[in-house]
Amino acid sequence: MKTTRTSSRKQQHIDISLAKDVSFCVKTAGFERWDFLHNALPELNLSDVDPSTSFLGKKMAFPFIISSMTGGYADAIKINRQLAEVCAIKKIAMGVGSQRQALEDDQFHRSFSVVRDVTSDIPVFGNIGAAEVAKLRDASPILRLIDLIHADGFAIHLNPVQELLQPEGNTNFRGVLAGIELLVKAIPVPLIVKEIGAGISPNVAQRLIDSGVTIIDVAGAGGTSWAGVEILRGKNKDGKRKKQEMRLNSQEFWDWGIPTIDALRGVCIVKSKSSWVKVISSGGISNGIDIAKSLAFGADYAAVARPILKALANGGVKSVLRLFDKWECELIGTMFLTGSRSITALQKQQMIPRV
Ligand SMILES: Cc1cc2nc3c(=O)[nH]c(=O)nc-3n(C[C@H](O)[C@H](O)[C@H](O)COP(=O)(O)O)c2cc1C
């Protein structure tokens, strides 16, 4: 199969995310700064706890999403099929990675559509980058991408840090909001807007909501550093920056971004004035208590990317299922210890800062 620039880039992202440590260096997502108020009288039987919810019109066993990661090259067929298998077993949702390559030609279309070979029951959403959205004249390319995976939703990723540091990055972000407004009106499924690890601020959330966006994934700092991924991608084998692609490679940007918990708190204040808006917490989620804390701060769902990819590479579907079983138990355990029978009850729990 012929590889295109976009398909080889998508492969490199997976390879670097697995082979190198692309976590934030110093900054954390911030979950360790907060605690639940323990409830010694939960007045619940553990079996009463029900973490089920719904997303994009479909039922979910717990409020959990595998974040957009891959597609658009040959090996992505296996990854997306396995991720869809996990979602089908656990009854959770997933996003496919950027579908930009699928607009270039159809040779890797199966790397996206394979998710529907597994099941039509799970909520699945499509994905494209902000720079592509800025170029849209009409919604027809995005409608084709939605069709390709029978998507229940469609995500746009805002990634200025990545584009700034990417050797071949597109730093023209003029017109992104206009493109978002166009899509909100023209596509038949909900539009999700997400960052990829630098966070959404309250001001950006408000502008998105004013443009008609109803689902925001804060994707904050503290997990995968996309500045880190692109800094490493831009280096030759001997560790030097490729000359012909000299742009910006300052290590100083490695930890750029709003920690997830701070982004989440800010966006949820904006959300409280717009009750129809749903918020996804992601960026550095590393256990079921992080998921529970996200919900207590007002998120409706939590999502994760690189830890899932690593588990899949280490032990296949079984290993990801083991990780999710553990996180599910931790979420349910936290709901029990805070007297939260349902997700709605968990969303009302008080958080206290750790001193
Ligand atoms: C290998 C890899 C590829 C990714 N590709 C995409 C993508 O195509 N589109 C997108 O919106 N986000 C992409 N992301 C970003 C994730 O969806 C997520 O927002 C980010 O990694 C933060 O989550 P984490 O800390 O749990 O990894 C990718 C992440 C990883 C690890």
Side-chain angles (χ1 to χ4, degrees):
M1 270 186 198
K2 198 166 71 71
T3 54
T4 65
R5 235 175 123 141
T6 312
S7 65
S8 67
R9 186 167 57 235
K10 288 308 286 178
Q11 172 124 42
Q12 287 166 15
H13 285 158
I14 294 284
D15 294 347
I16 291 175
S17 296
L18 287 173
K20 306 277 184 193
D21 183 1
V22 287
S23 318
F24 277 67
C25 288
V26 180
K27 200 172 270 179
T28 69
F31 291 102
E32 75 288 352
R33 288 189 251 134
W34 294 88
D35 264 324
F36 281 99
L37 190 61
H38 172 63
N39 181 349
L41 265 179
E43 286 296 327
L44 281 177
N45 185 331
L46 181 61
S47 60
D48 296 336
V49 171
D50 176 10
S52 67
T53 184
S54 62
F55 180 53
L56 301 173
K58 289 183 173 162
K59 289 215 161 90
M60 287 168 98
F62 73 119
F64 208 65
I65 301 165
I66 297 182
S67 284
S68 317
M69 274 191 282
T70 204
Y73 68 100
D75 290 350
I77 298 178
K78 186 173 173 199
I79 298 177
N80 274 340
R81 187 196 306 110
Q82 289 182 319
L83 294 178
E85 279 167 19
V86 169
C87 291
I89 294 168
K90 294 302 295 176
K91 296 193 172 47
I92 57 173
M94 75 174 274
V96 297
S98 170
Q99 292 173 276
R100 177 176 165 183
Q101 200 287 323
L103 292 175
E104 292 167 4
D105 56 54
D106 62 5
Q107 65 171 327
F108 299 119
H109 274 193
R110 232 183 102 56
S111 67
F112 298 103
S113 61
V114 68
V115 298
R116 287 306 187 195
D117 291 359
V118 177
T119 173
S120 58
D121 290 347
I122 57 170
V124 170
F125 50 95
N127 188 289
I128 200 87
E132 298 308 304
V133 171
K135 288 188 246 163
L136 287 175
R137 295 282 157 267
D138 62 68
S140 55
I142 306 302
L143 292 171
R144 290 206 303 279
L145 299 181
I146 290 172
D147 212 35
L148 179 61
I149 56 169
H150 305 295
D152 303 295
F154 193 83
I156 293 167
H157 61 268
L158 308 179
N159 60 340
V161 184
Q162 180 185 22
E163 298 286 0
L164 182 68
L165 289 148
Q166 189 171 91
E168 66 281 57
N170 179 349
T171 44
N172 185 359
F173 270 63
R174 283 192 190 145
V176 177
L177 205 53
I180 288 173
E181 276 169 14
L182 183 156
L183 289 180
V184 164
K185 292 189 191 114
I187 65 173
V189 294
L191 192 72
I192 302 162
V193 177
K194 71 188 284 289
E195 239 287 347
I196 63 164
I200 301 277
S201 65
N203 175 277
V204 169
Q206 189 62 63
R207 284 153 69 204
L208 293 172
I209 293 169
D210 292 345
S211 301
V213 173
T214 53
I215 306 174
I216 298 173
D217 179 346
V218 302
T224 307
S225 163
W226 276 90
V229 174
E230 295 300 347
I231 287 168
L232 295 178
R233 244 192 92 231
K235 285 183 176 163
N236 284 322
K237 284 199 185 76
D238 61 6
K240 296 207 180 89
R241 186 78 177 171
K242 292 177 192 166
K243 276 215 183 65
Q244 74 279 17
E245 291 163 346
M246 188 64 76
R247 275 164 60 95
L248 180 69
N249 72 334
S250 172
Q251 298 271 343
E252 304 301 326
F253 287 99
W254 192 292
D255 264 23
W256 181 276
I258 312 166
T260 298
I261 205 80
D262 301 327
L264 181 64
R265 293 178 68 212
V267 170
C268 285
I269 290 171
V270 176
K271 173 199 169 180
S272 63
K273 290 173 253 154
S274 312
S275 57
W276 60 93
V277 172
K278 300 283 180 199
V279 172
I280 302 169
S281 167
S282 76
I285 300 257
S286 61
N287 58 58
I289 302 181
D290 290 351
I291 299 172
K293 286 180 182 175
S294 295
L295 298 182
F297 275 118
D300 299 279
Y301 316 95
V304 73
R306 186 161 164 262
I308 304 299
L309 186 68
K310 283 169 67 182
L312 193 66
N314 288 338
V317 166
K318 273 197 184 138
S319 163
V320 184
L321 286 173
R322 265 198 305 276
L323 187 68
F324 277 134
D325 286 346
K326 175 179 174 290
W327 290 9
E328 188 177 4
C329 287
E330 289 163 354
L331 171 65
I332 291 172
T334 306
M335 290 173 75
F336 175 67
L337 293 175
T338 56
S340 314
R341 183 188 294 262
S342 66
I343 293 299
T344 317
L346 181 61
Q347 286 174 310
K348 293 185 185 133
Q349 290 301 328
Q350 186 193 343
M351 299 302 298
I352 44 175
R354 263 186 210 170
V355 277

